[in-house]
Amino acid sequence: MNIAMPQFAEVLLPLAIQGSYTYRITPELQPAIVVGSRVLVPFGRRKIYTAIVVMVHDIEPQGYRVKEIIAALDPFPIVRHPQVKFWQWIADYYLCTMGEVYKAAIPSGLKVESETFISVNPDFEEQEPGQLSDKARTILDFTAQRGRVQINEISNATGYKHVEATVSKLLDIGAIHVSERVVDNYRPKTRTCVRLTLQRDDEQGLHQFFDEVKRAKKQEALLLAYLDLSHWLQHSKPVAEVTKEALLKRADATAAVLSAACQRGIFEIYKQEINLFALDARQLIEPPTLTDEQRRAYDEIHQSFRDHAITLLHGVTSSGKTAIYMHLIADALRQGKQVLYLVPEIALTTQLTHRLEQVFGDKLLIYHSKFSDNERVDIWKKLLHSSEPCVVIGVRSSIFLPYSNLGLVIVDEEHDSSYKQQDPAPRYNGRNAAMVLASMHGAKTLLGSATPAIEVYRKAQQGDYGFVQLLNRYEDIQMPQVQVIDTKRAHKRHEMQGLFSLDLVKECRHALENNEQVILFQNRRGYAPMVRCKECGWVPTCINCDVSLTYHKHTRSLTCHYCGHTISLPDLCPACGLPGIEIVGYGTERIEDDIDQVFPGEKISRMDLDTTRNKNSYDRIISEFSAHKTNILVGTQMVTKGLDFDAVSIVGILNADTMISFPDFRSSERAFDMMEQVAGRAGRAHKQGKVLIQTSNPQHPVIGFVVNHDYQAFYDHELAEREKFGYPPFTRIINIYIKHRDDNVLTEVAVRYSNMLRQVFAHRVLGPEAPLVARIQNLYIRQIVLKMELQASMNKVKKILRDIYEQLVAIDSRAKSAILYFDVDPV
């Protein structure tokens, strides 16, 4: 009995369009099409995209001609259950499309599109003759000649149709790779190694080799070097792999000498695959021994997991939360489970990797955006084809990996705003999404923080989450002493040296003289936030955005941090023609310069977006500071996030005013979190540290809570404020943004849309208002705030918002050219 093969497939495209699209499955492709596999489909007149099959069926759509699937890229699914279900939850909750989630979730190397840029991997070698088809070889040759090409260029130049399938195969075998915007060189997947052509126990054969090279001294040196590097004669040790590079270096020989030895039949050269995510081989150690208090917290977490799917670990800075995490990870791995360990910043993965690799070895995998796309594809495929226990450490994008046996999710520094994706969609919160992902796998979630998010702490207090506290620092070290410096008073007394108060300089100098280290925190990168003419007041602003340009001294340029527009710093004011240009304000780059004058000769490092664009830059900065190659670390919020440096005794917060004065209902929470977290970097090893906070408003309540390290008092104060004005956790906020190139059109469309929303949501609608930056990349912006009850269905809200906007488009065609998007639970 013949079973009819499905003739149609519903596919998901990586585009911001609602729903799936139907394509016909040709007879030759029917055996290869399975739910979850990748297929190439035409969309529009000329575009070709990689789509994911979400359903197959026999129901032919009526009323239009169904296009055919061009090619099947996989004979197997590239997503696992419950990934598509998880994508659907993100799309529903965060009010975006499934296509936008798919585009964010899958690495670019798995989405071959007609606009993808590719380039040749120079280290690729055919494993055997005939591995490449004539078509593949032509594409490879053309790409090599051009250096970096788009797929549609290949089609135009070669005349081949549908080259995406061949490009996908070339990607799979490592012949090409997707070009990256990240400044990063892809490491080859193989390395060239050398081995002897005889068995280890063949002593007679070895003597014969020495006889053959007796008169060829360089080849003899190669043979001796190989025996040494490979431990060949040390029978108690296994034979070690010897790379070609190491052998030639040890023997001080050339490649030609090695080639001659290979021709004699002494050596053979081979390629060895490299696991890009493998860590240095070393003897593994047990997780660190827990103190009595850590053991109590560890036991309470296990007890909490029996009653709660989610548990909050509220542990002060330097209380040893990471040690507890390690024991919980080890427990999960022993049970054959996979673990996801989320951190907010890539810098944290760098430092944690060194600690975790000592305990978990090759079971540790790292995943974040600074890896090249090819490397991200490698780890995706590793998890796709293996259900072995492992621990993945990564930033928010790690939630999209194809886990098969997830048992534990740890969200470290769960309060951190970096877990929230801003642009583009999906604008998801990695912490909240990770909790949903864990529930879909039946896994437990542990949230850890010294300053828990208000919403999370309230759920723990209400009993919705388990709650465990760790309120003493490791080895009972005292929390750092906090000194508040009134900068207004200091200015009047002439006690300020630039941005540094004399008290701060004195404490820093004392620490440096004692061979201790200093962290200085300023949450603004660049040299200065603006320049101006002191004669006429002219300030250079971005031509595309409503912001002033930031000065970067090392390039002598003025740059917009929103769109990247850059101009050179003028010598004369273009408005009045006078040489009155002056630098106003302080960024991390200027502070680095000024420190060099205050503490001449001291080694300084800086950690901000400008110094960490490369994958290895985090590791270099952190390693140099840990090894005392630098003693002063200047940074933005990157330095506040869980980094652990034993020798730091002084932390300086150079300007607290910029944090506590921001016009947003979360500004107090963000300010407290940042100051308490950066304060926690001080005095972590054997002595109490000290924190100096410079502010012109020392009486602000948040400053007092930080001085006393009193999270509970801060929480009580903040919760009362939120309840009074109806903000989360008592409501759910949805920010609605509308953008348009014409400010007048935008105003009319936004007002009309908000009035239509009020007819349904009444007093829950606020606005429209222009945000702080009212124009970005030549698009004017209006913001409407929707305050919803917690029990409101996001699916129903999403449908109402979309339906009302469609009604608006029907009434006012100008709304069709506007851009509308939603930001649920903004941070």
Side-chain angles (χ1 to χ4, degrees):
M1 176 179 164
N2 292 328
I3 300 175
M5 300 291 283
Q7 298 180 35
F8 300 96
E10 297 296 319
V11 304
L12 188 61
L13 290 160
L15 301 170
I17 50 178
Q18 298 288 341
S20 59
Y21 280 70
T22 307
Y23 285 83
R24 187 183 301 277
I25 307 172
T26 58
E28 62 271 19
L29 290 179
Q30 284 178 344
I33 303 295
V34 294
V35 173
S37 63
R38 295 179 302 158
V39 291
L40 285 177
V41 296
F43 189 78
R45 290 186 176 181
R46 297 182 180 179
K47 294 288 181 70
I48 295 173
Y49 290 98
T50 301
I52 300 282
V53 178
V54 293
M55 187 173 72
V56 292
H57 57 84
D58 293 312
I59 305 169
E60 182 171 3
Q62 301 299 314
Y64 64 93
R65 187 178 66 83
V66 182
K67 294 181 179 180
E68 293 181 349
I69 293 173
I70 294 171
L73 298 179
D74 312 290
F76 52 82
I78 62 132
V79 293
R80 288 180 179 271
H81 177 77
Q83 277 182 285
V84 175
K85 179 183 175 185
F86 180 53
W87 295 356
Q88 186 66 62
W89 177 85
I90 289 178
D92 289 342
Y93 186 83
Y94 291 103
L95 308 184
C96 62
T97 66
M98 278 278 280
E100 289 170 310
V101 183
Y102 159 41
K103 187 172 184 179
I106 301 283
S108 297
L110 293 175
K111 299 192 298 285
V112 182
E113 299 173 8
S114 51
E115 293 186 352
T116 300
F117 277 99
I118 62 170
S119 54
V120 171
N121 178 3
D123 298 292
F124 171 74
E125 296 178 9
E126 284 188 76
Q127 297 298 313
E128 55 188 39
Q131 182 184 11
L132 297 179
S133 65
D134 290 342
K135 184 176 180 180
R137 198 179 300 281
T138 302
I139 291 172
L140 207 58
D141 290 345
F142 174 74
T143 306
Q145 291 170 9
R146 298 291 296 273
R148 180 174 178 269
V149 297
Q150 285 184 307
I151 292 177
N152 53 6
E153 290 181 69
I154 298 173
S155 298
N156 295 337
T158 62
Y160 291 137
K161 292 184 178 180
H162 313 321
V163 298
E164 287 83 359
T166 308
V167 167
S168 180
K169 291 174 184 175
L170 290 171
L171 270 169
D172 286 341
I173 62 175
I176 60 175
H177 47 76
V178 178
S179 295
E180 289 289 290
R181 281 182 292 173
V182 177
V183 181
D184 179 43
N185 296 316
Y186 177 57
R187 302 178 200 170
K189 295 181 182 178
T190 60
R191 61 179 181 177
T192 305
C193 294
V194 181
R195 62 188 168 210
L196 288 179
T197 58
L198 48 75
Q199 298 298 315
R200 192 177 194 180
D201 57 0
D202 188 356
E203 294 185 11
Q204 185 177 349
L206 185 60
H207 284 297
Q208 188 176 338
F209 282 170
F210 273 108
D211 289 340
E212 289 184 33
V213 298
K214 190 162 47 177
R215 294 182 181 177
K217 295 301 181 184
K218 284 290 185 182
Q219 292 181 39
E220 184 180 47
L222 272 178
L223 185 53
L224 288 168
Y226 177 83
L227 296 178
D228 182 29
L229 290 170
S230 66
H231 312 306
W232 186 273
L233 302 177
Q234 301 173 42
H235 291 280
S236 61
K237 296 182 178 180
V239 176
E241 302 280 357
V242 178
T243 64
K244 177 181 174 182
E245 182 184 9
L247 180 62
L248 294 178
K249 185 176 181 180
R250 175 66 65 90
D252 192 22
T254 63
V257 175
L258 177 59
S259 179
C262 290
Q263 289 174 3
R264 286 181 185 268
I266 296 173
F267 292 113
E268 65 177 357
I269 295 174
Y270 65 99
K271 294 283 187 181
Q272 182 197 44
E273 280 199 12
I274 297 174
N275 179 1
L276 293 170
F277 307 97
L279 302 160
D280 296 336
R282 62 179 68 185
Q283 190 70 33
L284 299 184
I285 63 173
E286 291 296 314
T289 303
L290 299 179
T291 64
D292 291 343
E293 185 163 8
Q294 289 170 340
R295 173 62 62 178
R296 173 195 55 76
Y298 166 79
D299 292 337
E300 288 181 10
I301 290 168
H302 270 298
Q303 182 65 40
S304 176
F305 279 161
R306 294 175 188 171
D307 304 316
H308 299 91
I310 302 167
T311 294
L312 170 64
L313 173 60
H314 177 209
V316 298
T317 55
S318 195
S319 58
K321 294 187 291 293
T322 305
I324 296 174
Y325 298 157
M326 286 186 187
H327 281 265
L328 294 169
I329 292 168
D331 294 341
L333 295 179
R334 277 193 293 269
Q335 295 167 12
K337 299 290 187 180
Q338 295 172 331
V339 179
L340 170 59
Y341 187 160
L342 280 181
V343 293
E345 287 278 359
I346 295 168
L348 272 182
T349 67
T350 300
Q351 197 172 48
L352 277 171
T353 295
H354 298 311
R355 296 180 65 181
L356 296 177
E357 69 174 322
Q358 296 175 319
V359 178
F360 303 113
D362 60 5
K363 286 187 173 64
L364 179 66
L365 303 174
I366 306 107
Y367 189 84
H368 57 63
S369 59
K370 284 292 192 291
F371 279 140
S372 74
D373 197 75
N374 293 43
E375 291 169 309
R376 294 201 294 275
V377 170
D378 281 348
I379 194 171
W380 183 283
K381 289 185 174 180
K382 179 178 175 67
L383 285 169
L384 183 67
H385 299 304
S386 170
S387 298
E388 294 179 1
C390 63
V391 52
V392 175
I393 181 171
V395 292
R396 61 175 182 261
S397 57
S398 305
I399 63 173
F400 293 118
L401 288 168
Y403 302 101
S404 59
N405 194 17
L406 198 59
L408 175 65
V409 173
I410 296 171
V411 185
D412 196 18
E413 311 293 352
E414 60 79 20
H415 65 276
D416 200 288
S417 60
S418 296
Y419 282 122
K420 184 70 159 71
Q421 164 73 11
Q422 300 298 338
D423 282 309
R427 296 170 180 85
Y428 66 97
N429 187 307
R431 176 199 63 209
N432 297 346
M435 292 190 284
V436 173
L437 176 68
S439 70
M440 289 182 177
H441 281 269
K444 301 296 184 183
T445 302
L446 180 66
L447 308 175
S449 177
T451 55
I454 298 291
E455 293 91 332
V456 169
Y457 196 77
R458 185 162 190 259
K459 283 183 178 290
Q461 295 291 293
Q462 291 176 327
D464 297 334
Y465 298 165
F467 184 54
V468 178
Q469 286 188 299
L470 197 59
L471 298 181
N472 292 315
R473 284 186 140 192
Y474 181 68
E475 293 185 345
D476 290 326
I477 294 169
Q478 293 294 305
M479 292 294 289
Q481 175 190 351
V482 180
Q483 177 183 344
V484 180
I485 298 167
D486 186 340
T487 51
K488 283 197 296 188
R489 182 184 297 176
H491 275 294
K492 288 178 182 177
R493 296 181 176 182
H494 305 289
E495 293 174 351
M496 295 294 291
Q497 190 172 345
L499 195 60
F500 309 106
S501 63
L502 295 185
D503 283 349
L504 178 60
V505 172
K506 176 185 172 184
E507 293 290 349
C508 291
R509 181 168 288 121
H510 180 68
L512 295 169
E513 287 170 353
N514 290 329
N515 201 31
E516 294 165 351
Q517 292 177 298
V518 173
I519 291 179
L520 297 175
F521 171 63
Q522 172 76 343
N523 204 27
R524 185 184 287 276
R525 66 186 173 99
Y527 190 85
M530 61 181 281
V531 300
R532 72 180 172 206
C533 175
K534 58 188 176 186
E535 303 296 337
C536 70
W538 171 81
V539 174
T541 56
C542 179
I543 60 171
N544 305 314
C545 313
D546 286 347
V547 292
S548 60
L549 299 177
T550 300
Y551 177 51
H552 290 262
K553 185 180 179 183
H554 71 287
T555 56
R556 195 174 163 75
S557 62
L558 297 166
T559 300
C560 173
H561 286 172
Y562 286 88
C563 72
H565 172 68
T566 301
I567 62 173
S568 298
L569 179 71
D571 294 319
L572 300 176
C573 172
C576 67
L578 298 174
I581 301 294
E582 64 175 352
I583 310 299
V584 181
Y586 287 83
T588 48
E589 189 185 348
R590 184 175 187 182
I591 291 165
E592 183 183 22
D593 258 15
D594 287 6
I595 290 171
D596 196 37
Q597 298 174 21
V598 178
F599 303 108
E602 286 294 344
K603 301 289 186 182
I604 306 161
S605 55
R606 175 163 56 96
M607 182 183 283
D608 56 28
L609 186 61
D610 298 318
T611 61
T612 55
R613 295 187 186 277
N614 184 280
K615 177 176 64 182
N616 299 317
S617 50
Y618 292 95
D619 196 23
R620 176 183 55 78
I621 293 168
I622 290 169
S623 298
E624 288 178 355
F625 195 63
S626 297
H628 279 264
K629 292 181 180 177
T630 58
N631 288 321
I632 301 176
L633 175 62
V634 181
T636 56
Q637 60 179 341
M638 290 180 182
V639 302
T640 71
K641 301 181 181 182
L643 297 173
D644 191 355
F645 302 112
D646 288 347
V648 173
S649 62
I650 296 294
V651 167
I653 298 173
L654 299 178
N655 187 0
D657 298 343
T658 55
M659 294 181 279
I660 60 179
S661 303
F662 197 77
D664 180 76
F665 79 93
R666 291 192 192 273
S667 63
S668 290
E669 183 179 6
R670 276 197 298 266
F672 179 84
D673 290 350
M674 277 193 198
M675 287 191 279
E676 185 65 17
Q677 288 286 340
V678 76
R681 303 314 110 207
R684 296 177 69 89
H686 306 293
K687 61 173 285 188
Q688 184 184 28
K690 188 169 185 179
V691 181
L692 294 97
I693 301 176
Q694 297 187 160
T695 175
S696 63
N697 188 8
Q699 305 306 317
H700 194 285
V702 170
I703 300 291
F705 297 135
V706 175
V707 169
N708 296 318
H709 303 289
D710 194 343
Y711 175 82
Q712 186 64 48
F714 164 74
Y715 167 79
D716 293 338
H717 177 271
E718 187 67 11
L719 197 68
E721 290 283 307
R722 302 271 185 97
E723 186 173 23
K724 181 179 178 181
F725 295 103
Y727 281 105
F730 301 98
T731 57
R732 175 176 290 128
I733 298 290
I734 302 172
N735 281 340
I736 304 168
Y737 292 97
I738 307 176
K739 296 182 177 181
H740 199 283
R741 293 193 177 276
D742 187 314
D743 193 27
N744 293 325
V745 170
L746 175 63
T747 300
E748 293 178 27
V749 168
V751 168
R752 179 171 280 183
Y753 184 51
S754 64
N755 289 337
M756 293 171 73
L757 289 176
R758 281 190 182 90
Q759 294 175 15
V760 178
F761 296 110
H763 64 278
R764 300 175 185 86
V765 180
L766 304 175
E769 297 289 343
L772 278 177
V773 181
R775 181 175 62 106
I776 296 177
Q777 294 180 342
N778 282 323
L779 289 171
Y780 294 93
I781 308 167
R782 292 295 181 273
Q783 176 184 350
I784 301 169
V785 178
L786 185 60
K787 284 186 179 181
M788 294 302 302
E789 291 81 2
L790 295 177
Q791 60 271 24
S793 165
M794 294 304 289
N795 265 337
K796 290 182 180 177
V797 171
K798 177 181 181 180
K799 187 176 187 311
I800 293 170
L801 292 173
R802 292 284 184 193
D803 288 349
I804 291 176
Y805 195 72
E806 286 174 9
Q807 293 171 26
L808 174 63
V809 170
I811 298 170
D812 188 344
S813 60
R814 296 175 302 173
K816 194 178 292 185
S817 58
I819 299 168
L820 172 77
Y821 65 88
F822 309 100
D823 185 9
V824 180
D825 300 337
V827 297

